[in-house]
Amino acid sequence: MTTGGVTAGTLLWEPPVNIRDTSRIGRYLTWLESEHGLAFADYAALWEWSVTDLSAFWQSIWDFFQVVGHEPATAVLDSAAMPGTRWFPGATLNYAENVLRLPGFEDDDAVILAYSQSREARTVTARQLREDVRRARAGLKARGVGRGDRVAAYAPNIPETYVLMLATASLGAVFSSCAPEFGARSVIDRWSQIEPKVLVAVDGYRYGAKDVDRRSEITAIRDAIGSIEHVVTIGYLDPDGGDWDDLTGDDPLEFTAVPFDHPLYVLYSSGTTGLPKPIVHGHGGILLEHLKILALHHDLGPGDRFLWFTTTGWMMWNYLASGPAVGATIVLFDGDPGWPTLNTLWDLADTAGITYFGTSAPFLMACRKAGLTPGKRLRGIGSTGAPLPAEGWTWVYEAVDPDVRLMSLSGGTDVCTGFVGGVPLLPIRAGVITSRILGAKVEAYDGSGTPVVGRLGELVISAPMPSMPVGFWNDTDGSRLREAYFDVFPGVWRHGDWITVEADGSCVITGRSDATLNRGGVRLGTAEFYAVVESLPEITDSLVVHLDTPGDPNGELLLFVVLADGHELDGELRTRIARELRAALSPRHVPDAAHQVRAVPRTLSGKKLEVPVKRILTGTPVDTAAATGALANPESLTAFADLYAERVTPASA
């Protein structure tokens, strides 16, 4: 297949002949052979072992990385049945303790290099980081925070947020973050479910040249969530303000030993079918998963400087946060990556001495479209958030670095990792995800639940992974978890993507198989979207869909509204819709176009039908896009068929 003049599958990089001697996965293979007598001829054999002998593989990860534990486990896993797999039962440990071992760091070595458009750059050494965590831990403890309590951060990708996460984890408390660009409604929807005791928030932030005050949002959040007993403010816009420095005390840095599956932090789904799902991740599962993928797949270790452009509202922040656990210095950036130009992050690569540059497919494609030629020397580039088209891969090798190892990573908030990506042992080809990740039994299933190779199917994970959610918060019987992942193929995790897995283990993901909006690689929830749009008095109902656009990872976001009598979708109302969505949710939620319709199609039980509408707008006939007999108002689909006809007519004229 050729896209943008580039043939998918074109060879771009091959591993050097001494890759087993120079890579961390090579050293792992040597260790497996010397310690356990296990020899693997190639990556395919290693992967097969990792997903069939789960106990041996995950115990090897624990041992190879010398995880600090307290009480020993009685087994690696009690059963491979999903859901409900229990990993390392009986074991106790602490994620923060393992991160703060800081392998390879001397006391005065930089662990964090922080860059921001709101203040001057900062460096945090190993000694400083441990002391900062100690202080914050003591301050939280003085405010009554203990094991199981929740601590919430309405703060950006800055050292204070990182320190707070580790301090919270050290106590056995539970961390959760929202980026400050989230509107108050989005934050309240998330944190009202987990009832935090302490809120730490920035007073505002600068995005590019614009200052954004967040003090009124802090007030709204505190007023709406009655569990919040303490608010600590970071003076970020006003460096003389805030009381972050008062979050301190004299207690020593200690670590509460917790069970392997004790909650570490809560991440959130996009909120497609209601409130965002509060996804609980455990200390042990996250630790083992991140040690494995960051060291063995990204090849990160001592001497590396690791950037991933992310906000604290995206799982990639949690992913980046584990970098020091494998010996890598992490580079934090807060601000607009396109201000003053798209060269900002590329210039930072030089300033910070970055060796691994993590970003999103839309960013790489935007750089390509702008004609950038950064010309950097990097060990690795990571791309995630959306499939990277073949021309994006080629641009990296032509315009950035012909010798870099580019990984297109796909996974999700649900597992807080990638389950397909790359590995230093294998060649890299344009538009093709190199491999399935160790320990991740990713397969493509057809509609009957049969694995298929070389054909498009549903992306499933057919064996458990330690970083699968401990559960959803307050889902005491596990019913919401089962409904989210295991309702289509019993006992098998269905992720919601379309994937083709080839015989050599490489794969291509072609998009979401559910109705979640995927805007520029960031999953957006329709439920949150509707709550804002339908709060406008002129709008009685609405529906939103995301359409993939060839060559544009951002795609097209289309909004359909039903208006109250006497109103029209004029320029003023369009502006108000955009303003409300931007303020309450984020700029990514602003649609590319809005259309007035007479009715939103619904099932007999009242559910909106985003997927059939998306199918119709991409050319599927109405009769095959939806079972009209199951609709309360099947005539409503006609308007979308008419719009599709209008949209394609100019192109065929």
Side-chain angles (χ1 to χ4, degrees):
M1 184 178 66
T2 300
T3 59
V6 178
T7 301
T10 300
L11 181 66
L12 299 173
W13 182 89
E14 289 188 278
V17 293
N18 65 340
I19 191 66
R20 286 204 179 198
D21 299 323
T22 59
S23 63
R24 295 199 76 177
I25 193 169
R27 291 191 285 277
Y28 171 65
L29 284 165
T30 299
W31 178 86
L32 282 175
E33 186 166 6
S34 64
E35 295 295 320
H36 298 286
L38 295 169
F40 300 97
D42 53 22
Y43 180 76
L46 177 64
W47 179 84
E48 185 66 28
W49 171 73
S50 77
V51 298
T52 52
D53 194 344
L54 297 176
S55 293
F57 172 69
W58 287 107
Q59 184 65 58
S60 80
I61 296 299
W62 182 298
D63 295 341
F64 181 72
F65 290 102
Q66 299 179 332
V67 168
V68 176
H70 295 273
E71 295 298 321
T74 57
V76 173
L77 71 168
D78 59 2
S79 166
M82 295 188 288
T85 306
R86 285 192 65 224
W87 291 92
F88 293 90
T92 61
L93 76 172
N94 189 285
Y95 169 85
E97 182 176 15
N98 280 273
V99 172
L100 289 172
R101 285 189 303 167
L102 301 175
F105 289 98
E106 300 294 334
D107 282 349
D108 292 329
D109 289 344
V111 180
I112 301 172
L113 301 174
Y115 298 85
S116 168
Q117 291 169 349
S118 301
R119 67 184 181 195
E120 294 299 313
R122 294 187 176 184
T123 298
V124 182
T125 66
R127 180 187 288 110
Q128 288 173 304
L129 178 59
R130 292 187 180 107
E131 172 60 11
D132 289 349
V133 173
R134 184 202 65 76
R135 288 167 54 92
R137 178 186 187 277
L140 291 173
K141 187 177 178 183
R143 286 159 178 78
V145 174
R147 177 169 166 164
D149 290 326
R150 276 76 67 202
V151 175
Y154 189 48
N157 185 18
I158 57 177
E160 291 92 331
T161 315
Y162 186 64
V163 165
L164 183 70
M165 185 271 286
L166 292 176
T168 301
S170 74
L171 288 164
V174 185
F175 179 80
S176 186
S177 61
C178 284
E181 60 262 33
F182 281 29
R185 182 195 297 269
S186 290
V187 177
I188 293 164
D189 283 349
R190 286 160 171 78
W191 289 344
S192 60
Q193 300 182 72
I194 66 168
E195 300 177 306
K197 178 179 283 190
V198 174
L199 167 64
V200 177
V202 289
D203 53 357
Y205 61 95
R206 183 172 292 120
Y207 193 77
K210 181 181 179 182
D211 287 352
V212 181
D213 192 311
R214 273 316 195 216
R215 289 174 296 180
S216 62
E217 280 74 17
I218 296 171
T219 300
I221 294 165
R222 180 171 191 171
D223 289 347
I225 303 176
S227 63
I228 296 175
E229 298 176 9
H230 305 279
V231 176
V232 178
T233 305
I234 300 168
Y236 193 48
L237 271 184
D238 176 10
D240 296 323
D243 55 358
W244 167 257
D245 289 340
D246 295 335
L247 189 67
T248 187
D250 298 326
D251 292 60
L253 179 57
E254 297 176 339
F255 302 96
T256 300
V258 296
F260 188 89
D261 58 359
H262 183 78
L264 169 62
Y265 40 60
V266 180
L267 306 184
Y268 297 89
S269 71
S270 54
T272 300
T273 57
L275 289 175
K277 297 181 182 68
I279 302 168
V280 182
H281 287 293
H283 279 244
I286 288 298
L287 177 64
L288 290 188
E289 174 59 37
H290 289 179
L291 289 172
K292 175 206 69 180
I293 194 167
L294 294 177
L296 304 186
H297 288 271
H298 292 287
D299 200 34
L300 290 167
D304 278 309
R305 293 190 169 184
F306 175 36
L307 165 83
W308 208 295
F309 174 72
T310 181
T311 74
T312 56
W314 189 21
M315 61 141 281
M316 294 311 297
W317 182 83
N318 305 77
Y319 195 79
L320 174 67
S322 292
V326 298
T329 296
I330 54 174
V331 181
L332 312 183
F333 175 83
D334 178 47
D336 180 355
W339 184 86
T341 72
L342 280 171
N343 280 308
T344 294
L345 290 180
W346 298 113
D347 291 343
L348 182 62
D350 293 329
T351 302
I354 290 166
T355 63
Y356 200 101
F357 185 98
T359 184
S360 67
F363 176 80
L364 294 176
M365 293 302 291
C367 291
R368 174 184 178 272
K369 187 174 183 179
L372 267 60
T373 54
K376 304 300 176 186
R377 299 297 294 175
L378 299 162
R379 291 187 64 237
I381 292 178
S383 172
T384 193
L388 182 64
E391 57 267 31
W393 292 72
T394 303
W395 175 83
V396 167
Y397 282 90
E398 292 177 347
V400 183
D401 185 347
D403 299 317
V404 74
R405 196 169 64 83
L406 172 61
M407 181 195 293
S408 179
L409 183 73
S410 185
T413 301
D414 327 74
V415 289
C416 199
T417 190
F419 36 66
V420 294
V423 65
L425 303 175
L426 295 177
I428 294 171
R429 302 180 185 278
V432 179
I433 296 175
T434 306
S435 65
R436 292 170 287 188
I437 299 296
L438 292 175
K441 194 172 183 181
V442 172
E443 298 183 280
Y445 271 18
D446 65 15
S448 67
T450 302
V452 294
V453 176
R455 290 166 40 202
L456 191 67
E458 283 270 8
L459 192 163
V460 303
I461 307 174
S462 54
M465 297 173 62
S467 69
M468 285 177 173
V470 172
F472 291 163
W473 196 265
N474 282 334
D475 182 26
T476 53
D477 63 357
S479 58
R480 294 180 68 198
L481 183 79
R482 287 191 296 275
E483 181 183 355
Y485 307 115
F486 300 100
D487 63 339
V488 175
F489 305 113
V492 173
W493 176 292
R494 172 187 172 271
H495 195 67
D497 283 331
W498 296 117
I499 189 172
T500 302
V501 179
E502 300 295 346
D504 64 358
S506 66
C507 43
V508 175
I509 292 178
T510 49
R512 297 294 300 169
S513 63
D514 59 19
T516 300
L517 312 173
N518 195 326
R519 183 69 157 172
V522 176
R523 295 172 65 181
L524 308 176
T526 55
E528 295 176 287
F529 196 104
Y530 297 143
V532 174
V533 172
E534 292 168 23
S535 69
L536 298 175
E538 298 90 343
I539 298 175
T540 62
D541 205 356
S542 65
L543 184 137
V544 64
V545 297
H546 177 265
L547 303 181
D548 295 327
T549 303
D552 179 6
N554 285 313
E556 189 177 14
L557 197 64
L558 301 180
L559 171 66
F560 301 93
V561 294
V562 179
L563 300 181
D565 291 341
H567 293 281
E568 293 183 0
L569 186 59
D570 54 19
E572 180 181 353
L573 182 54
R574 292 175 192 270
T575 299
R576 284 183 57 215
I577 292 170
R579 185 172 63 243
E580 291 295 320
L581 286 167
R582 184 179 290 109
L585 299 178
S586 80
R588 292 182 183 272
H589 289 75
V590 177
D592 295 295
H595 302 273
Q596 183 175 348
V597 292
R598 291 186 178 181
V600 167
R602 292 180 179 271
T603 65
L604 294 172
S605 60
K607 294 182 179 179
K608 298 182 184 184
L609 292 169
E610 294 100 344
V611 172
V613 167
K614 181 174 180 176
R615 291 173 179 162
I616 291 168
L617 292 173
T618 52
T620 302
V622 169
D623 290 340
T624 55
T628 55
L631 271 64
N633 51 353
E635 69 282 357
S636 63
L637 297 175
T638 304
F640 301 97
D642 293 342
L643 176 60
Y644 169 73
E646 294 172 11
R647 285 163 60 91
V648 300
T649 298
S652 59

